C-alpha cells in the first residue's frame, strides 16, 4: 500500500503480464483491501492474462473515501483519494470481464462494507463473512474456504458460491435490501 495506486499501476501490469508469459496460463488474483482495487484494475486492463479476481474488504465501489485508512493511505503514498480519476473509479466499480468475487464483512472497521459490493451478474458475486474484521479477513477460515472454492473453479466457468460446508454458519446472505 505504500506505492500508491497510480504509481504502482504499470509495475503491477508488467508483473501480471510477465507471469502470464512465463507460465502460459492466466493468473488468478486475490487482493485484500487496496490489493483488491489493483486486482480489479488489472482484470480490466489485462483480461487475456487474468483468470479470475477475488477481493477481500476492498473499497472499489460507491464512495472510495469511506474508509478509516484514507488519511494514512494519503500520508504514506502522497496520493489523495480525491484526485482519483472518475473514469477509473467507474470502471473499477463496474462489471469485470472475468469471474469476480467480493468477500466482505459488515464489521470490517476500516472499509465501509457497502464500498466492497460488486454488482452481481452471471460471473460476479458478493460473499459476506459474519463477525470478521478488516485485518482478520486474510486469516479468517471462512474467507479462506471461500477463496479456495473460488480458485478451484475450472477456467472459463463460474458457479455461485454455495454457503455450505464446515463454515456455513459464518456466511451471511446478501439481499437487495442489504445493498442499500
Amino acid at each position: 500500500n505504500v506505492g500508491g495506486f497510480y504509481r504502482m499501476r504499470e509495475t503491477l501490469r508488467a508483473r501480471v503480464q510477465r507471469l502470464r508469459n512465463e507460465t502460459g496460463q492466466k493468473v488468478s488474483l486475490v487482493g485484500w483491501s487496496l490489493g483488491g482495487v489493483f486486482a480489479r484494475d488489472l482484470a480490466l486492463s489485462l483480461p487475456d492474462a487474468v483468470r479470475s479476481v477475488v477481493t477481500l474488504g476492498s473499497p472499489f465501489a460507491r464512495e472510495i473515501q469511506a474508509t478509516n485508512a484514507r488519511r494514512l493511505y494519503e500520508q504514506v503514498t502522497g496520493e489523495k483519494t480525491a484526485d482519483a480519476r472518475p473514469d477509473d473509479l467507474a470502471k473499477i466499480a463496474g462489471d469485470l470481464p472475468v469471474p469476480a468475487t467480493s468477500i466482505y464483512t459488515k464489521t470490517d472497521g476500516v472499509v465501509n462494507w457497502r464500498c466492497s459490493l460488486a454488482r452481481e451478474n452471471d460471473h460476479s458475486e458478493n460473499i459476506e463473512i459474519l463477525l470478521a474484521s478488516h485485518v482478520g479477513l486474510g486469516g479468517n477460515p471462512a474467507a479462506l474456504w471461500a477463496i479456495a472454492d473460488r480458485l478451484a473453479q475450472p477456467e472459463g466457468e463460474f458457479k455461485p458460491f454455495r454457503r455450505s460446508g464446515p463454515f456455513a454458519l459464518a456466511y451471511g446472505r446478501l439481499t437487495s435490501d442489504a445493498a442499500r
Side-chain angles (χ1 to χ4, degrees):
N1 286 350
V2 297
F5 180 78
Y6 288 108
R7 283 199 312 254
M8 292 300 297
R9 196 177 210 185
E10 291 308 317
T11 300
L12 292 175
R13 286 176 179 176
R15 183 175 294 165
V16 167
Q17 194 60 55
R18 188 184 82 242
L19 288 169
R20 168 73 164 128
N21 293 341
E22 287 176 2
T23 65
Q25 297 181 11
K26 291 184 176 185
V27 179
S28 293
L29 301 173
V30 179
W32 187 1
S33 198
L34 179 61
V37 176
F38 280 123
R40 291 181 65 87
D41 183 62
L42 290 164
L44 289 164
S45 62
L46 301 169
D48 293 334
V50 176
R51 178 180 181 266
S52 65
V53 170
V54 178
T55 61
L56 293 99
S58 297
F60 61 83
R62 299 188 186 207
E63 181 56 52
I64 64 160
Q65 293 186 9
T67 168
N68 289 324
R70 179 181 57 84
R71 286 190 185 106
L72 179 61
Y73 170 82
E74 291 176 348
Q75 191 173 52
V76 169
T77 67
E79 289 185 2
K80 302 289 183 208
T81 55
D83 295 336
R85 298 177 197 133
D87 59 319
D88 287 337
L89 297 177
K91 288 175 187 172
I92 291 169
D95 294 340
L96 298 183
V98 300
T101 299
S102 175
I103 298 174
Y104 71 97
T105 177
K106 290 182 181 176
T107 55
D108 188 295
V110 175
V111 172
N112 181 320
W113 64 273
R114 289 174 182 86
C115 297
S116 298
L117 296 180
R119 189 179 74 80
E120 294 191 351
N121 58 40
D122 62 346
H123 65 274
S124 177
E125 67 186 337
N126 298 292
I127 301 172
E128 179 187 1
I129 306 294
L130 300 174
L131 303 175
S133 67
H134 185 77
V135 175
L137 273 175
N140 182 289
L144 294 173
W145 181 269
I147 293 167
D149 180 82
R150 303 294 72 204
L151 294 176
Q153 292 189 96
E155 185 175 337
E157 294 183 24
F158 181 84
K159 291 185 176 131
F161 180 70
R162 291 185 52 214
R163 288 152 173 86
S164 61
F167 303 105
L169 294 175
Y171 304 112
R173 294 216 180 266
L174 180 65
T175 65
S176 58
D177 291 334
R180 292 186 185 138

